Amino acid sequence: MAQIVLDNVDKVYPGNVTAVDQLSLEIKDGEFMVLVGPSGCGKSTALRMIAGLEEISGGTLSIGDRVVNDLPPKNRDIAMVFQNYALYPHMTVEQNLAFGLKLRKTPKSEINQRVQEAARMLGLEGYLKRKPAALSGGQRQRVAMGRAIVREPQAFLMDEPLSNLDAKLRVQMRASLNQLHSELGVTTVYVTHDQIEAMTLGDRVAVLRDGRLQQVDTPKNLFNRP
Ligand code: ADP
Ligand code: ADP
């Protein structure tokens, strides 16, 4: 686990598009931080900079005690889940969960143990031998999350992970995500345009508009004003 600190971070895309403008934000160790705001406000760009998938145009980004401005994604010890969970269709759930660990030459017994643990936390125990085609959308998204957490990353990033699911599943998945976070306690940054998601998931919520941070506070203080 690690804190993530953005200090005056900018992103200017070619064509002089300022997507993120002097963003300063301290995400505490173990915190669930939601980035919320309308489409185009810079949420994904901010998340992708934390992941190292997008270069930073200015400012300083650190993860743990380390400035990571120039550190490639694979050295950041971060796991990310997107809207379109790219599971391997020819592999079972179990094989999908184990794949990243196998690549990293993790011992077999440890792989088994971590896969079982992730399956338990995500309610996938009964589905380990199935292939993705035989799962619901919500179950597939659970597998994508499982694949991220088996790595035991120091931070977990999610970009609109529930937006392809129907309303009922989204409600279920919000509960699962809360449960997962309370078990893992891993520093989490979660991007959504959905205020209800922000409110139910975040320890704190950062509201972005036009690339700038408007407010950052607990959901209670942001949304339940007297
Ligand atoms: P959000 O995730 O809040 O919808 P984005 O971070 O995707 O916002 O986009 C922020 C701004 O940056 C938008 O104006 C978008 O058009 C622009 N943008 C995003 N990606 C690129 C890119 N690769 N090249 C140029 N402009 C981009
Ligand atoms: P994994 O073990 O999950 O396959 P990798 O080491 O291949 O992870 O991924 C390196 C980095 O690339 C990670 O930070 C991850 O968040 C990011 N990444 C993984 N898949 C994608 C994708 N489809 N698009 C963009 N970035 C990705």
Side-chain angles (χ1 to χ4, degrees):
M1 281 201 288
Q3 61 169 354
I4 299 171
V5 181
L6 293 88
D7 185 10
N8 264 305
V9 169
D10 298 310
K11 177 66 190 186
V12 184
Y13 284 114
N16 224 13
V17 180
T18 301
V20 172
D21 195 1
Q22 301 202 310
L23 177 61
S24 293
L25 189 61
E26 274 191 51
I27 303 161
K28 294 175 198 141
D29 199 9
E31 187 170 37
F32 197 124
M33 175 68 79
V34 177
L35 308 183
V36 73
S39 176
C41 72
K43 311 180 291 291
S44 289
T45 299
L47 196 75
R48 292 170 61 80
M49 287 193 288
I50 297 171
L53 301 172
E54 209 66 72
E55 241 175 85
I56 290 174
S57 309
T60 310
L61 174 64
S62 32
I63 301 176
D65 296 326
R66 199 167 174 203
V67 173
V68 298
N69 284 29
D70 301 316
L71 198 67
K74 64 177 181 349
N75 297 336
R76 293 189 184 199
D77 192 16
I78 269 177
M80 189 149 167
V81 171
F82 301 88
Q83 182 175 340
N84 298 310
Y85 28 84
L87 304 180
Y88 300 105
H90 58 291
M91 293 185 195
T92 63
V93 168
E94 189 169 27
Q95 289 164 337
N96 266 284
L97 291 174
F99 187 70
L101 295 176
K102 267 196 181 154
L103 283 186
R104 286 174 178 72
K105 310 240 182 292
T106 310
K108 224 175 179 170
S109 60
E110 194 181 333
I111 293 181
N112 278 336
Q113 190 232 317
R114 289 205 209 174
V115 166
Q116 294 301 327
E117 182 66 7
R120 182 191 61 73
M121 284 195 250
L122 288 158
L124 289 168
E125 298 107 317
Y127 303 94
L128 285 171
K129 302 296 177 198
R130 287 203 198 176
K131 291 193 177 163
L135 299 176
S136 70
Q139 289 163 343
R140 283 181 210 156
Q141 191 55 297
R142 284 169 203 267
V143 179
M145 288 171 186
R147 227 172 31 175
I149 66 169
V150 289
R151 287 168 48 189
E152 301 180 349
Q154 53 172 350
F156 187 16
L157 311 183
M158 288 179 270
D159 193 349
E160 303 266 7
L162 308 187
S163 55
N164 276 347
L165 307 178
D166 66 37
K168 193 171 154 222
L169 265 178
R170 279 206 299 277
V171 174
Q172 282 176 15
M173 287 300 292
R174 290 205 295 264
S176 297
L177 274 169
N178 270 331
Q179 171 73 26
L180 188 68
H181 183 71
S182 63
E183 281 207 50
L184 291 173
V186 64
T187 310
T188 301
V189 191
Y190 186 100
V191 161
T192 182
H193 64 275
D194 182 336
Q195 287 211 355
I196 297 178
E197 241 170 77
M199 200 162 63
T200 47
L201 289 170
D203 291 322
R204 284 192 302 155
V205 177
V207 183
L208 300 184
R209 184 169 293 263
D210 297 333
R212 288 173 166 268
L213 180 65
Q214 287 209 311
Q215 282 176 296
V216 53
D217 211 331
T218 60
K220 193 162 180 284
N221 288 342
L222 278 178
F223 298 112
N224 293 348
R225 297 254 175 85

